[in-house]
Amino acid sequence: MLRLTSGRLGSLLARCPIAALTTSSRVRMESQQSHEVVETVDMSRPLYYDRRDTPLPDKPYTDILSDADKSLKQKEKGPWIQLTNEEKITLYRLMFYQTYAEMKEPKGEWKTVVGGIFFFLGFTGLVVWWQRIYVYPPHPRTIDEDWQAMQLQRMLDMRVNPVQGFSAKWDYEKGQWK
Amino acid sequence: MSLPKPVMRGLLAKRLRFHLPIAFGLAITTALVFKYTVTEPRKKAYADFYKQYDAVKEFNAMREAGVFESVRPSGE
């Protein structure tokens, strides 16, 4: 956490060292985690991504082509009618990782989300219950039943909202609700 | 492969021509419905209340109940 904030402070002071700070901090993080091998992603260069709203990523999926792939790429420069269907599919898979159909496949993520929501709601309920027993102070006396009754009687005596509201619903002759 | 050229202009005007009458109509309808279901009955309720209102009687009833500080109930 501290390393991230130092990166942000660096960006406030000077624009240039951002990349140096973040990459160097990331390298430092990797060197301290000697039990894991993490690949550094150079975010300053174009990246490949599968996104439904952006059809053409910044770079093709495969950069390193084998000799067969290279000759296929040369054939791609000619008229495409000469390519067989398998070659077209190979070229597509070289350029892209997932098709739109594969990207749009339902992953069932909503079940995790809804389950997580209910779990945390339940946990919050337990926390609130504990608070009611151990944290809340005693009730103010204005919540007691007899105080509420006295309050209601006083409101009727004062003729609160006599036209359409509160006292309009009380029958003053009979002493009961209409 | 010769597709017709898509419509390039007047898109906002077309949308407004469709949606503005609906918007105005809904707004005016809402206002009229509110007027005749809420404000007119309310005005009538107030008028009827004050036709039969005896202020002195009400004042004496409130005084006897003890809610005033300037006049206490007649017994004290």
Side-chain angles (χ1 to χ4, degrees):
Chain A
M1 285 284 267
L2 290 169
R3 280 176 224 109
L4 285 173
T5 52
S6 74
R8 291 226 177 100
L9 277 174
S11 73
L12 282 172
L13 295 169
R15 288 234 171 141
C16 311
I18 296 174
L21 270 170
T22 48
T23 49
S24 64
S25 65
R26 202 174 285 123
V27 168
R28 255 182 283 131
M29 277 160 75
E30 266 97 49
S31 62
Q32 284 170 21
Q33 295 172 6
S34 53
H35 55 283
E36 263 177 52
V37 176
V38 179
E39 247 188 50
T40 44
V41 178
D42 186 0
M43 299 254 181
S44 61
R45 291 221 207 89
L47 297 172
Y48 177 78
Y49 48 81
D50 277 314
R51 285 188 62 130
R52 289 166 68 168
D53 54 354
T54 319
L56 299 174
D58 295 338
K59 76 173 194 45
Y61 179 55
T62 8
D63 280 354
I64 307 132
L65 301 169
S66 66
D67 287 332
D69 294 334
K70 283 198 187 127
S71 62
L72 192 56
K73 278 286 188 186
Q74 282 299 112
K75 194 174 174 192
E76 192 193 16
K77 291 183 184 171
W80 287 344
I81 201 85
Q82 292 172 358
L83 295 167
T84 66
N85 279 343
E86 288 80 26
E87 286 173 339
K88 286 179 191 167
I89 291 174
T90 316
L91 283 167
Y92 183 91
R93 290 290 175 184
L94 284 176
M95 192 69 113
F96 301 102
Y97 173 56
Q98 277 185 319
T99 66
Y100 260 80
E102 286 162 8
M103 263 194 263
K104 285 188 199 175
E105 252 171 29
K107 291 182 188 69
E109 188 186 0
W110 66 273
K111 294 178 206 160
T112 315
V113 171
V114 169
I117 290 172
F118 286 141
F119 176 78
F120 281 107
L121 278 176
F123 180 72
T124 309
L126 288 172
V127 169
V128 170
W129 187 11
W130 181 87
Q131 285 180 333
R132 184 129 73 80
I133 299 168
Y134 289 104
V135 177
Y136 284 13
H139 276 163
R141 61 180 170 165
T142 52
I143 290 181
D144 299 337
E145 279 295 322
D146 41 350
W147 188 284
Q148 292 270 315
M150 289 196 287
Q151 186 171 345
L152 193 131
Q153 181 59 54
R154 194 175 143 79
M155 281 169 73
L156 288 170
D157 292 338
M158 286 196 287
R159 311 291 193 272
V160 168
N161 286 333
V163 182
Q164 278 185 310
F166 188 71
S167 306
K169 300 189 167 77
W170 177 263
D171 191 344
Y172 280 95
E173 274 96 58
K174 291 197 199 127
Q176 62 185 19
W177 293 108
K178 285 186 189 162
Chain B
M1 270 298 281
S2 58
L3 298 163
K5 184 175 175 182
V7 178
M8 308 288 259
R9 290 161 187 258
L11 297 163
L12 180 65
K14 181 175 165 201
R15 181 190 165 83
L16 286 179
R17 215 180 1 254
F18 179 73
H19 282 93
L20 269 182
I22 296 174
F24 273 88
L26 277 178
I28 292 171
T29 309
T30 312
L32 286 173
V33 164
F34 190 81
K35 180 183 169 79
Y36 288 109
T37 56
V38 177
T39 61
E40 288 303 315
R42 189 173 286 167
K43 290 200 297 200
K44 186 170 178 309
Y46 272 77
D48 293 339
F49 178 79
Y50 282 109
K51 252 188 225 125
Q52 307 295 326
Y53 188 64
D54 184 0
V56 179
K57 171 166 165 264
E58 293 291 320
F59 168 74
N60 282 321
M62 283 194 255
R63 177 188 175 178
E64 297 310 319
V67 292
F68 292 128
E69 288 179 18
S70 51
V71 278
R72 298 311 302 164
S74 47
E76 293 167 23

